Amino acid sequence: MKILFVAADPKPERWTSLIQQHLPDAEIQVWQPDNPSCAADYAIVWHPPATLFDKEPQLKAVFNLGAGVDALVRIPNLPRDIPIVRLEDAGMAVQMAEYVAYHVIGISRDMDAYREQQAAGQWKLRRPIERSEWPIGVLGLGHIGQRVAKTLATLDYPVMGWSRSAHGIDGVRSFAGEVELDDFLAETRVLVNTLPLTDSTRDLIDHSLLSRLRPDAVIINVGRGEHLVDEDLCRAIEEGKVTRAVLDVFREEPLPSSHPFWQMPQVTITPHVSARTLREATIAQIADKILALEKGQPISGVIDIQRGY
Ligand code: GLV
């Protein structure tokens, strides 16, 4: 069996050695744009070039090295007749939950103010947290969104979730579809985005949406940069509608140094690290799925290209 590894990693051997450990009989190659076709059976990819699919038309499945498949479904010649498989959790959901909880706790417990007080040598108690003042709305209740919502609910924050169809999650009020979006927003102060990027979610977080949140809103974006209209967030911050934004993903990454977000004290920027792809768990999952496909068994995580995730 031949496996092609296609990702712009300066040290691809960190991946290929793991693939080899899990699939000792496999012949593994690292994609080089100028190499001839290697007639690969499977491709393991992150942001692959479209030429991959012209050169390797015999692929039996494509495995994405991340949960979000937006970069893949955008490729016009992505094969439609083979499984395109996204990463399912592989240690990412807990990291997302941690990242979001860290920021929600830090903001709702006024931790920045305590740091400033420390710098000024001040011992001063601030108002204690009133959880009812921090209702959290999680956009997207896929595996990651659910983990985020459940984690915050465990900490006794009022938590709501919005998704295409209703979900029954303990401690999380579920809102579904376009018709319930307004009600969801009207009750939300901390908006956490975990949605997949599709044509219907692109630019969703715009000025109109931000204006429908509760006052002193907080935005945490761990989905994709293209969910958020940057100028609209800047405007909502200037107007005082949004008081804090924690952004891990951006339309252009790395975020250009001229972007206004860098200069805004209300904005916290992290370089797309809310959930790192964990090599061992990722390759173990992909290898298991390759072995299942080889045995003709069904696998989970196959995306619906039409739907976009
Ligand atoms: C990371 O952004 C992912 O999609 O897994």
Side-chain angles (χ1 to χ4, degrees):
M1 165 208 324
K2 286 191 185 159
I3 297 179
L4 189 55
F5 178 79
V6 191
D9 189 309
K11 292 186 190 152
E13 60 285 357
R14 297 186 294 191
W15 294 93
T16 51
S17 58
L18 275 172
I19 302 170
Q20 196 75 78
Q21 265 173 38
H22 283 271
L23 300 168
D25 297 332
E27 190 184 311
I28 302 156
Q29 289 208 15
V30 175
W31 165 264
Q32 302 289 350
D34 301 329
N35 280 5
S37 163
C38 70
D41 298 295
Y42 300 101
I44 299 179
V45 307
W46 183 245
H47 290 249
T51 46
L52 166 68
F53 303 108
D54 294 332
K55 262 196 187 168
E56 304 288 342
Q58 70 298 314
L59 285 171
K60 296 198 264 185
V62 176
F63 293 90
N64 192 44
L65 282 171
V69 289
D70 43 292
L72 263 182
V73 297
R74 242 178 260 199
I75 298 176
N77 59 342
L78 182 72
R80 310 257 145 183
D81 49 352
I82 58 170
I84 308 293
V85 189
R86 68 187 155 79
L87 199 59
E88 296 180 284
D89 191 354
M92 284 207 263
V94 67
Q95 295 180 67
M96 285 276 192
E98 249 163 29
Y99 179 96
V100 174
Y102 171 88
H103 289 287
V104 168
I105 295 167
I107 293 168
S108 62
R109 297 287 305 268
D110 242 351
M111 289 302 169
D112 284 352
Y114 284 114
R115 285 207 145 266
E116 281 167 25
Q117 288 182 192
Q118 178 183 341
Q122 268 183 352
W123 178 279
K124 184 174 142 208
L125 279 62
R126 305 185 69 87
R127 204 162 70 83
I129 182 174
E130 191 61 68
R131 277 187 162 63
S132 59
E133 291 174 9
W134 296 95
I136 298 162
V138 180
L139 285 172
L141 289 175
H143 197 79
I144 288 171
Q146 287 198 24
R147 183 74 186 246
V148 169
K150 281 183 198 162
T151 302
L152 294 165
T154 309
L155 294 168
D156 290 351
Y157 288 94
V159 182
M160 293 160 292
W162 180 79
S163 54
R164 242 167 11 113
S165 48
H167 283 265
I169 305 167
D170 258 3
V172 178
R173 278 174 63 207
S174 169
F175 294 73
E178 201 63 41
V179 285
E180 291 183 10
L181 182 60
D182 267 344
D183 290 344
F184 166 83
L185 295 172
E187 293 200 40
T188 294
R189 177 170 177 197
V190 181
L191 185 73
V192 181
N193 176 39
T194 73
L195 284 167
L197 180 66
T198 66
D199 287 342
S200 49
T201 64
R202 182 172 288 108
D203 298 330
L204 179 74
I205 309 176
D206 61 3
H207 192 265
S208 144
L209 181 144
L210 294 170
S211 304
R212 285 179 275 160
L213 295 167
R214 287 186 39 162
D216 298 323
V218 174
I219 308 302
I220 302 181
N221 190 14
V222 290
R224 284 287 186 261
E226 285 169 66
H227 285 125
L228 173 70
V229 181
D230 295 1
E231 310 78 66
D232 288 11
L233 175 62
C234 292
R235 200 174 127 205
I237 289 176
E238 277 158 24
E239 293 166 346
K241 291 189 163 82
V242 171
T243 51
R244 290 291 301 270
V246 176
L247 308 177
D248 185 52
V249 287
F250 301 90
R251 285 178 181 258
E252 191 181 340
E253 295 180 4
L255 182 65
S257 55
S258 58
H259 198 291
F261 286 158
W262 286 111
Q263 305 306 327
M264 301 177 79
Q266 300 91 336
V267 177
T268 298
I269 293 167
T270 54
H272 203 142
V273 290
S274 56
R276 310 294 302 277
T277 302
L278 303 178
R279 276 194 290 277
E280 173 57 48
T282 298
I283 293 304
Q285 181 180 115
I286 293 174
D288 280 351
K289 289 184 182 181
I290 290 178
L291 291 173
L293 287 178
E294 287 291 297
K295 289 189 209 136
Q297 292 166 353
I299 57 166
S300 59
V302 176
I303 66 157
D304 175 341
I305 300 180
Q306 212 55 42
R307 195 178 63 172
Y309 62 96

